[in-house]
Amino acid sequence: MKLLMPYITAGITPDWTSYVQAFASAGADMVEIGLPFSDPTLDGPTIQEATSVALARGVTLDSICRDMSELSVEIPLIASTYANLVIRQGAGTFCRHIRHAGFDGLIVPDLPLEECAEVAEHIDLVLLASPATSDARLAEIGRRSKRFVYAVTVMGTTGERAELAASAGALAERLKVRTELPVLLGFGISTPAQAAEAAGLADGVVVGAAVMRRVLDGAGPAEAGAYVRELKAAMSGG
């Protein structure tokens, strides 16, 4: 079975948790929930816009954790944010906070491999790999990551793209011989056809900006959930 993890920016709308419920009902295997940060350097214009909207609404880590009490889903929920938020509270305090709220794992894209041990003591830490990562480092990432390895298909920021990056297949292949964890491809996967192509190369896909563009353009939970269902169907050959 190929894994699908759609993304939602926490606090993007007052009913943002309804999107998580809709994604789970649509067949998502996990949901990545972005914790807004004022300087999202790895994100492109769409998720930057979503982050700005959430912050303008006054969203905080505490309010997100309170909102999480509304959720009752059977799939893993993976938080993603930047190292500044984690370090400011202290790794142990931050991770206990989000685990208590219901998060099962954490992605911190700007946390160096050499500095991730303390965070990894407190929560399942998902690590990223890129086309520029050396084979030796890929093996270490595969050894230390939890749940899956997030394979970044391009050397750039998140965002919708017209086609799947040519580097995606080679990166997935290099990773799959160095880890027993599922390898999920992300960054730039925008359409059901691209999701199907990526799923044929790896164990699953992450879709972020394409989901958030729909939400920013007014799609409600049902409409966004229908898009996730389309992605899942395409990945399954349906």
Side-chain angles (χ1 to χ4, degrees), residues 65-212:
C65 289
R66 287 194 299 270
D67 289 345
M68 291 282 289
S69 66
E70 302 172 12
L71 278 171
S72 178
V73 295
E74 298 299 322
I75 60 174
L77 303 177
I78 310 298
S80 61
T81 194
Y82 288 84
N84 182 279
L85 289 183
V86 181
I87 294 167
R88 189 170 63 192
Q89 285 202 10
T93 300
F94 178 89
C95 293
R96 283 191 295 272
H97 194 175
I98 65 171
R99 281 175 51 211
H100 181 74
F103 286 103
D104 302 285
L106 175 65
I107 300 168
V108 188
D110 60 338
L111 184 66
L113 179 63
E114 294 78 10
E115 299 175 20
C116 73
E118 184 180 3
V119 178
E121 289 179 4
H122 301 285
I123 197 168
D124 284 355
L125 185 63
V126 177
L127 300 179
L128 280 70
S130 80
T133 306
S134 69
D135 288 347
R137 198 170 180 85
L138 287 181
E140 185 67 7
I141 288 169
R143 185 182 70 81
R144 298 175 67 173
S145 191
K146 300 294 184 183
R147 294 185 178 266
F148 62 94
V149 178
Y150 192 145
V152 176
T153 62
V154 294
M155 297 299 295
T157 59
T158 63
E160 297 174 89
R161 290 176 172 82
E163 58 187 21
L164 187 66
S167 55
L171 176 58
E173 187 173 329
R174 290 170 61 213
L175 269 168
K176 287 170 71 174
V177 299
R178 291 175 172 84
T179 182
E180 296 182 357
L181 291 175
V183 174
L184 272 60
L185 289 170
F187 280 42
I189 298 172
S190 308
T191 67
Q194 289 174 5
E197 182 183 357
L201 299 171
D203 301 300
V205 301
V206 183
V207 182
V211 175
M212 293 315 303

